[in-house]
Amino acid sequence: MKSFIMSAAAIPAIALLVAGCAKFTGGKRFELPAEGGAMAVSSPDETLRLDLVQTDLNEVEGTVYRLTASKAGREVYRSVFYRGISGRWSPATGGVFVNYVNGSDEMGCEILDYRGEAMRTVNVRALLTRLYARDDTMAALAAPKGVRYYLECEKWVDRDTVEFSVSVDHGRTYHLRYHLESQTTQYLRYDDDGEKVVAL
């Protein structure tokens, strides 16, 4: 039997590789309101804070919440959601995605990407609308007019990429990825040869 001896120099490099692979596990998940009633959550590196405040309660929309994001006490984002939110922090940047449910038939996601001193937001439902209008592949995948679809961001693939799914009333689910750095979208197609990435 051959023995394998690892050099001392190789151990730190392998440890760094393992740590790098381990930290991209989809990102740390959260829900607001959280179990126990907490209405705020901070990013793992403590640079960004999300605060959810109930602003209204009515028969049409249900509970209305205002979500704000702040850095060092300065507000950098504000929006309104219903029925609470959930999401995941990016494992390596000041990014976060927020899943929301508005009403009984609208599920969507917003990606907040904080770099330097600027906050960039991506509304994934609006992104899909633009793709349906201009891309033949997405037009072929799009739900027929009048059929509802449900969108959910699922995980961070790496520091710049969010994977999300689109489910439609007729039962099919499509998987896509959005790249923050290049601002491009990919469709994940599965067949007998496995996963294939189609640029859109």
Side-chain angles (χ1 to χ4, degrees):
M1 179 183 295
K2 292 184 178 180
S3 61
F4 176 74
I5 301 176
M6 185 181 299
S7 69
I11 293 176
I14 293 176
L16 183 63
L17 176 62
V18 171
C21 294
K23 72 179 180 179
F24 289 117
T25 55
K28 184 179 179 181
R29 189 177 186 279
F30 64 87
E31 289 187 12
L32 293 178
E35 186 176 348
M39 300 289 280
V41 63
S42 295
S43 60
D45 62 2
E46 303 292 328
T47 60
L48 201 63
R49 174 186 169 100
L50 298 180
D51 288 276
L52 196 68
V53 178
Q54 181 176 331
T55 61
D56 196 7
L57 181 63
N58 60 62
E59 294 181 357
V60 178
E61 303 292 356
T63 307
V64 183
Y65 294 103
R66 180 180 69 246
L67 177 68
T68 59
S70 57
K71 182 176 183 180
R74 182 174 67 90
E75 184 178 302
V76 294
Y77 167 86
R78 174 181 291 207
S79 191
V80 174
F81 297 105
Y82 310 96
R83 303 186 183 186
I85 62 169
S86 65
R88 288 185 183 273
W89 296 102
S90 168
T93 67
V96 61
F97 65 70
V98 174
N99 288 311
Y100 60 85
V101 180
N102 287 348
S104 60
D105 61 354
E106 181 183 341
M107 295 176 61
C109 174
E110 284 201 2
I111 305 170
L112 283 59
D113 183 33
Y114 193 93
R115 303 189 189 196
E117 296 301 319
M119 171 70 78
R120 182 163 62 95
T121 63
V122 179
N123 185 300
V124 183
R125 285 185 72 93
L127 173 70
L128 283 179
T129 300
R130 294 195 299 272
L131 285 172
Y132 289 157
R134 68 170 175 78
D135 188 273
D136 291 341
T137 301
M138 285 303 296
L141 299 178
K145 187 176 181 179
V147 176
R148 294 174 296 185
Y149 70 91
Y150 307 94
L151 186 154
E152 181 179 16
C153 290
E154 297 180 333
K155 65 181 180 179
W156 291 87
V157 179
D158 55 41
R159 62 182 294 144
D160 287 310
T161 309
V162 173
E163 186 166 308
F164 62 96
S165 63
V166 181
S167 301
V168 294
D169 272 353
H170 56 62
R172 294 200 64 179
T173 298
Y174 307 103
H175 297 273
L176 301 98
R177 289 176 180 171
Y178 181 74
H179 297 266
L180 291 163
E181 186 69 27
S182 62
Q183 300 183 40
T184 57
T185 308
Q186 296 175 330
Y187 164 56
L188 306 183
R189 188 179 69 203
Y190 298 91
D191 54 28
D192 293 340
D193 296 326
E195 177 184 287
K196 292 184 178 180
V197 177
V198 180
L200 299 175

